[in-house]
Amino acid sequence: MLEVMSLVAVGALVVLYAVAGVLAITTGRVVPWQRGYVLRPRLWGSGALVFGAGMALARYGGTVRDLTTSDVVFGGSLLLLICGGVLQYVGQRVGRLRA
């Protein structure tokens, strides 16, 4: 039961990240809580898509039973998560602090 709840929760987060990324790439608008911070919305949206793919791959990696394949999938998901986070960080304004 816990695995199903985890699948639903991660699936919802991946869908939200994908929607936010596609919205930022296609229209140049970002989610309301990021509007004052994001300078380059298309770059931020690309980072959101890559980060969401990393979350989905990490969740899939938890279901793989082969240890070698699981290590490769986990390494790939970690790489996607880091690259997506860096892209989102680079897309934000420099020196803007949250109050």
Side-chain angles (χ1 to χ4, degrees), residues 65-80:
R65 299 293 175 220
D66 184 32
L67 290 178
T68 305
T69 307
S70 177
D71 288 344
V72 170
V73 169
F74 177 72
S77 68
L78 189 60
L79 184 67
L80 285 174

Side-chain angles (χ1 to χ4, degrees), residues 11-22:
L13 282 175
V14 167
V15 167
L16 285 175
Y17 257 98
V19 167
V22 168

